[in-house]
Every structure is written in C-alpha cells, then in structure tokens.
Amino acid sequence: MGRLDGKVAVISGAARGQGRAHAVRLAAEGADIVAFDICSNLAYPLTPPASPEDLKETAAQVEALDRRCLSRVTDARDLTSLTALADEAVAEFGRVDALVVNHGIWTVDRNSWELPEESWQESIDVLLTGSWKVQKAFVPKIVAGARGGAVVFTSSVNAVVPQPGAVAYCAAKSGIQMLMKVLARELGPHDIRVNTVNPGSVSTAMHEGGTIERSLEYFPRGLDRGARAALEGSQTLPPSAIADAVAWLVSDEARYVTGALIPVDSGFLTG
Ligand SMILES: NC(=O)c1ccc[n+]([C@@H]2O[C@H](COP(=O)([O-])OP(=O)(O)OC[C@H]3O[C@@H](n4cnc5c(N)ncnc54)[C@H](O)[C@@H]3O)[C@@H](O)[C@H]2O)c1
C-alpha cells in the first residue's frame, strides 16, 4: 500500500534532477505520473540543457516501479501546449490529484542594473510566469475531480535570502511565494492544498558540473555556499531529500498543511 495509490501526479522539469526524483518517489508511493520538460537549451542559464533521452530515462524509472508514465517534451512557457497536455493526461488517466511545479533555470550574471533585459525576461518567463501557466493548465483538472488534491511549487532559499548576481531568480522565487499563498486561499474551498518546498543547495546539474565555479567567475561575491547552514556535514543535499518533502506534502499526512513555506536546507534559513 502506497500513500498515493490510485492517484495521478504531474511534474514539470521532470527530465532529471529533482523533477526525476519526485517522479520516481511519487511513483513508488503508488501514483501514475505525467512528466514533462523543455529538454532544450535556453539562452542564459549556467546549466547545460536536459535532453529527450533524460526524460525517457525518467519514464523508464517510473515504469520499472510498475506505474504508468505519460512523458512529453513541453515548455512551461507555452500555455497552449500545457493545456493540451492537461487534456491528454485526463484522457489517459481519468484524473489529476497532485501537481509539482518544479521546473527551473538558474542564471547568475551581473549586478541588477547591468543585467541584459533578455536575461531578466527569460528567468521571469520560465520561473514565475511559467509556474503560473502550469497551474493554470492543470489546477482546473484537480478542481474538476472534486476529490481535493495538492499543489507544490519548488521555490528556493533564494525566495528569502538575496543572492547578488541572481536578481531575476530571487525575484521570481519570491513571486512564487505569493502565487502559492493566493492559490492556497483560492483552492481551500476545493480542499486543494498549496505549498512551496524551499531547497538549499541540491546536487543536480543546476549546481554541479562546474556551474557554481562559472557563477563565481561571473560574480565572485555571488555565493556564500552553505556558510549559514545549521546542520554540519550536509551542505549539499541529494534530490531525494527534496522528494521526501514533496511526497509528504502531497500525501494525506499533510492534510492540514497549506499556504506554507517548507525549507529543506539544513537550517540555512535560520541564519
Ligand atoms: N539545485 C539546487 O541547488 C536548487 C536549489 C534551490 C532550488 N532549486 C530549484 O529546484 C528546481 C529543480 O531544479 P534542479 O536542481 O533539479 O535542476 P535541473 O537543472 O537538474 O532541473 C531543472 C529542469 O527544469 C527543466 N526546465 C527548465 N526550463 C523549463 C521550461 N521552460 N519548461 C519545462 N521544463 C523546464 C530543465 O530542462 C531541467 O530538466 C528548480 O525550480 C530550481 O530552481 C534548485
């Protein structure tokens, strides 16, 4: 018996990293999965792009757990495609219960006043407007099921703690906090809970393979890596640590938790 038996969970940015960890973890809890990702390059992030093969690997890992996985290459900025995917998900599985808005890019560039407009716009479009579009496409399916449900946005400690050189990322993640709170109020009458999970540093492509080093080249004062974490020896977390929190947030064990910011950061936000 899994905590999500018979349920369907949608995950954005699911080709790799935390999104894949969420897909596999929620499948292990019994959910069928709708996994989507842009699987291609954007202009400004430090991170190399995910590939369609990465997304196929996520689907294979879900299917290895004897769960179904509908996987599609879809851009969180494209509302028409998102809406079509939401329709396809309901046609395939008959319901949507949980939505994990996880996709993201991380750009560390220049001081706020030196940043190219296109770089600002790309981060805001992907992170903030893209999160709004993903919920716009999928939340109506959860509401229509009339069984309650859960939405989790992946935010960041940078929703609270500023990072020089990452103004668009910080502003977008901070905006996601209020998107979450407004939605929590709006969806309460439908018994749909809405929260954010706020990771510290996580060992994914976003922070591995030299991206931290490249960010320091752009902006040497940009990172105070883990210096303020309360727990010693756990500065960079495995993706499974965030998936554990997401699995709890979408389960009935969190049935009275809504409108909350849940840090998974070794206590970074205590500093
Ligand atoms: N890694 C960290 O240290 C860290 C810390 C705090 C928050 N986060 C957040 O965690 C989330 C997951 O990131 P990750 O660490 O797994 O990094 P990642 O780069 O491995 O995964 C992000 C995924 O999002 C996808 N994506 C990007 N833009 C998209 C779009 N427009 N439409 C659909 N998919 C898109 C990428 O292709 C990629 O597969 C992000 O929201 C990120 O901001 C990460």
Side-chain angles (χ1 to χ4, degrees):
M1 277 285 287
R3 289 188 289 181
L4 302 175
D5 280 344
K7 297 197 171 173
V8 176
V10 179
I11 299 151
S12 70
R16 67 182 184 195
Q18 294 176 56
R20 179 186 288 168
H22 301 333
V24 171
R25 180 62 201 274
L26 300 188
E29 294 286 354
D32 288 323
I33 302 295
V34 179
F36 73 90
D37 199 291
I38 188 171
C39 295
S40 67
N41 217 356
L42 290 139
Y44 289 94
L46 296 168
T47 320
S51 67
E53 288 68 36
D54 291 330
L55 186 59
K56 281 184 192 144
E57 174 59 23
T58 297
Q61 291 190 20
V62 167
E63 285 158 7
L65 293 165
D66 217 16
R67 293 291 95 207
R68 291 181 291 166
C69 186
L70 175 66
S71 64
R72 291 286 179 267
V73 174
T74 304
D75 185 344
R77 297 170 297 181
D78 180 352
L79 185 56
T80 304
S81 297
L82 292 168
T83 305
L85 180 56
D87 289 342
E88 192 182 359
V90 171
E92 180 84 10
F93 296 128
R95 59 193 287 166
V96 174
D97 301 280
L99 173 62
V100 185
V101 188
N102 159 84
H103 72 274
I105 53 173
W106 187 56
T107 304
V108 178
D109 202 318
R110 278 156 265 187
N111 286 304
S112 303
W113 63 93
E114 298 163 332
L115 190 69
E117 183 180 354
E118 296 78 12
S119 176
W120 165 269
Q121 199 60 55
E122 182 180 75
S123 286
I124 297 297
D125 287 349
V126 171
L127 293 165
L128 183 55
T129 311
S131 294
W132 175 80
K133 287 182 180 178
V134 172
Q135 70 76 32
K136 180 169 172 62
F138 287 96
V139 161
K141 305 302 187 192
I142 308 179
V143 171
R147 303 177 199 92
V151 180
V152 179
F153 291 96
T154 304
S155 181
S156 169
V157 292
N158 284 139
V160 181
V161 175
Q163 183 180 347
V167 67
Y169 186 83
C170 295
K173 292 297 190 182
S174 190
I176 285 172
Q177 295 306 133
M178 193 49 83
L179 171 59
M180 174 274 283
K181 286 191 182 189
V182 171
L183 261 183
R185 284 267 164 199
E186 293 171 343
L187 289 172
H190 298 278
D191 201 24
I192 298 170
R193 300 176 298 97
V194 190
N195 297 286
T196 61
V197 64
N198 295 62
S201 189
V202 186
S203 57
T204 65
M206 195 171 281
H207 274 189
E208 300 294 325
T211 59
I212 294 281
E213 291 71 19
R214 281 200 295 283
S215 81
L216 289 169
E217 279 169 28
Y218 283 122
F219 210 99
R221 286 196 304 114
L223 287 169
D224 181 14
R225 199 183 187 190
R228 294 161 64 197
L231 295 176
E232 291 181 10
S234 54
Q235 309 290 14
T236 301
L237 307 176
S240 61
I242 317 306
D244 286 341
V246 167
W248 171 70
L249 281 170
V250 304
S251 78
D252 286 345
E253 289 168 21
R255 64 189 168 281
Y256 300 118
V257 180
T258 195
L261 180 163
I262 307 291
V264 183
D265 66 343
S266 301
F268 183 82
L269 290 184
T270 59

